[in-house]
Amino acid sequence: METVAPFKEVVEEIEGAGGQSQRFCFQCGLCDTVCPWNKVRQFSMRKVIREATFGLTEIDGEDIWRCTTCGRCPAQCPRGVNQIQLGVSLRRVAAGYEVFPASVKSARTARASLISEGNPLQVERQKRGDWAKEHGVKQYSEGMEVLFFVGCYLSYDPRMKKVAAATAAILKKAGVDFGILGNKENCCGESIRKFGSEQVFTSLARENIKTFIDQGVKKILVSSPHCYHTFKNEYPEFMVNFEVVHISQYLLELLDEGRLQFNHPFEKKVTYHDPCYLGRHNNIYDQPRTVLNRIAGLELVEMAESRRDSLCCGGGGGRIWMDTPQDQRFSDIRLNQAVQTGAQVLVTSCPYCITNFEESRLNLEYGDLLEIKDITEIVQEAM
């Protein structure tokens, strides 16, 4: 048996990047049993942790980039190992040395676009608010009831612009005094932080925080669970606290206050997908279901894996920008689960999930079987 001594310098670098919890792992393997990667290929988070403990991680390999930060393994771990923090620390080491496998190099383009244009989609910053012009959405000014922080995908992606428009229509119908930042808005920075580029995240966060303070923002409404998680749980690291609400929560608030009413039935069978960063990371499960259950005619059914056990779409942890072989896409499995319920509509509330599901719907040729909708699109139809 070969005895391997720890590479102390590498271990220190990993721990300095935030991976201290690796030392708590006693190799029970429960993380591997719940990891969605093991539905499509062999992958061991336990092995990644063990190698990191001895400083033996291959930072030029694929494994440290597989984690979607879905949160399944930290929720399962009996020892409190933060696998996400460890994985990100390994990526920070690799990113610091600019060492990336082929499948990850596309994410470098997203990083460059974030630095130059404030979004990962390689679109000019000045066009960030263009979607809002035909919908009469105002610029945010101090004293407004809420800032609608649109996010990158809803601002630029053709499919997701429909979600932005639906959200704006709902807010107007409910009489909410709201506005957007337009080209003053930057990416929240969540995914690039999980990619390992801490400096880029810090720059984006500080710029957003300065804008929020300068504009007198008090309450921030978001559509992306990733924005929600970042503003609520990570921006306080910069000694600020803003009131943050996700659209699925806000819809229920508006209904309970009588500001929003449903006037038309939605006569379809619907299944709801819990986004990782809304559900496991922030425990928001009931609000979107309550909203859907209040729509006349809508029949809500659950998939095999739901709520705390919801299957990740595959887009978290910066993987929305990375290359994933078609036969290894979690979103394909999720669509099959949705079809098995007999649902006509798969509804969620996350731009990454919708983007991945729409691509899988095309690849699986499910166009006639299943619609993909954001919760706001169903609410708009039912108003």
Side-chain angles (χ1 to χ4, degrees):
M1 179 182 292
E2 181 184 3
T3 301
V4 180
F7 285 81
K8 291 184 179 180
E9 295 82 0
V10 179
V11 173
E12 289 172 0
E13 192 156 5
I14 291 170
E15 294 190 350
Q20 298 92 336
S21 64
Q22 61 178 325
R23 63 184 70 168
F24 303 142
C25 177
F26 61 5
Q27 292 289 293
C28 69
L30 288 175
C31 51
D32 288 351
T33 66
V34 296
C35 180
W37 274 108
N38 287 303
K39 291 180 179 290
V40 296
R41 56 162 293 133
Q42 189 174 12
F43 172 69
S44 177
M45 178 56 75
R46 178 179 65 171
K47 180 183 175 183
V48 171
I49 295 169
R50 191 62 172 167
E51 289 177 344
T53 302
F54 291 98
L56 300 173
T57 302
E58 296 180 5
I59 64 169
D60 59 344
E62 298 274 356
D63 278 357
I64 66 170
W65 301 99
R66 293 200 187 281
C67 179
T68 64
T69 68
C70 73
R72 287 295 298 271
C73 49
Q76 188 85 350
C77 182
R79 295 280 289 176
V81 176
N82 190 328
Q83 291 89 345
I84 293 174
Q85 186 182 53
L86 170 63
V88 171
S89 72
L90 293 172
R91 293 177 181 187
R92 284 176 62 181
V93 173
Y97 289 107
E98 289 289 316
V99 175
F100 303 103
S103 65
V104 177
K105 289 182 178 178
S106 57
R108 297 168 66 185
T109 304
R111 183 181 63 180
S113 181
L114 281 167
I115 294 170
S116 62
E117 301 294 346
N119 71 81
L121 302 173
Q122 304 175 64
V123 188
E124 295 175 26
R125 180 189 296 271
Q126 294 300 319
K127 295 182 178 180
R128 194 172 187 107
D130 284 1
W131 71 270
K133 294 176 182 177
E134 62 183 280
H135 301 288
V137 177
K138 296 181 289 186
Q139 285 285 116
Y140 181 86
S141 60
E142 188 169 359
M144 282 184 168
E145 188 176 352
V146 66
L147 165 67
F148 175 29
F149 187 93
V150 186
C152 300
Y153 273 75
L154 271 69
S155 294
Y156 295 114
D157 182 78
R159 168 64 183 92
M160 297 311 303
K161 285 180 184 179
K162 297 177 182 178
V163 177
T167 304
I170 292 167
L171 297 177
K172 285 187 173 185
K173 186 75 172 180
V176 178
D177 184 21
F178 76 100
I180 65 172
L181 292 173
N183 59 24
K184 294 179 182 177
E185 180 182 292
N186 269 313
C187 177
C188 70
E190 185 273 331
S191 287
I192 200 63
R193 187 178 218 188
K194 302 305 185 295
F195 179 75
S197 293
E198 186 69 13
Q199 289 185 338
V200 178
F201 165 74
T202 299
S203 176
L204 293 167
R206 286 177 173 167
E207 195 167 338
N208 276 328
I209 289 167
K210 183 179 185 303
T211 300
F212 295 159
I213 294 172
D214 289 347
Q215 297 291 319
V217 173
K218 303 296 183 185
K219 186 171 186 175
I220 305 172
L221 172 67
V222 297
S223 293
S224 170
H226 297 267
C227 295
Y228 178 85
H229 179 82
T230 307
F231 294 155
K232 187 175 181 65
N233 302 316
E234 298 187 355
Y235 275 26
E237 295 172 21
F238 298 89
M239 308 304 292
V240 294
N241 281 283
F242 301 98
E243 182 182 358
V244 186
V245 61
H246 186 264
I247 185 63
S248 62
Q249 297 172 301
Y250 199 51
L251 289 171
L252 187 56
E253 285 183 30
L254 295 175
L255 286 168
D256 287 344
E257 293 169 2
R259 300 172 70 180
L260 185 64
Q261 296 179 338
F262 297 135
N263 301 309
H264 302 282
F266 190 84
E267 303 279 359
K268 292 182 180 179
K269 184 181 286 190
V270 171
T271 188
Y272 177 74
H273 166 77
D274 293 281
C276 300
Y277 274 78
L278 201 59
R280 271 184 299 274
H281 284 281
N282 288 287
N283 204 36
I284 299 173
Y285 297 110
D286 293 330
Q287 294 95 321
R289 287 175 170 82
T290 301
V291 171
L292 292 170
N293 278 321
R294 290 190 184 181
I295 299 174
L298 188 150
E299 180 186 355
L300 184 62
V301 294
E302 296 287 357
M303 283 180 278
E305 296 175 275
S306 64
R307 292 183 176 265
R308 184 177 181 270
D309 296 324
S310 179
L311 179 64
C312 176
C313 78
R319 288 207 61 89
I320 192 71
W321 308 325
M322 301 180 202
D323 298 326
T324 303
Q326 189 169 332
D327 62 349
Q328 296 180 16
R329 294 176 183 174
F330 308 161
S331 50
D332 285 7
I333 300 174
R334 197 55 164 164
L335 258 64
N336 285 327
Q337 291 180 346
V339 169
Q340 287 167 12
T341 68
Q344 300 160 279
V345 182
L346 172 58
V347 61
T348 187
S349 197
C350 173
Y352 292 175
C353 295
I354 291 176
T355 299
N356 280 339
F357 291 158
E358 290 284 17
E359 184 170 350
S360 286
R361 189 168 71 109
L362 290 174
N363 292 336
L364 296 172
E365 298 182 351
Y366 280 174
D368 297 330
L369 283 178
L370 195 67
E371 293 180 86
I372 311 296
K373 286 187 178 292
D374 185 83
I375 191 171
T376 56
E377 295 177 303
I378 291 182
V379 167
Q380 185 185 23
E381 287 189 41
M383 287 191 313

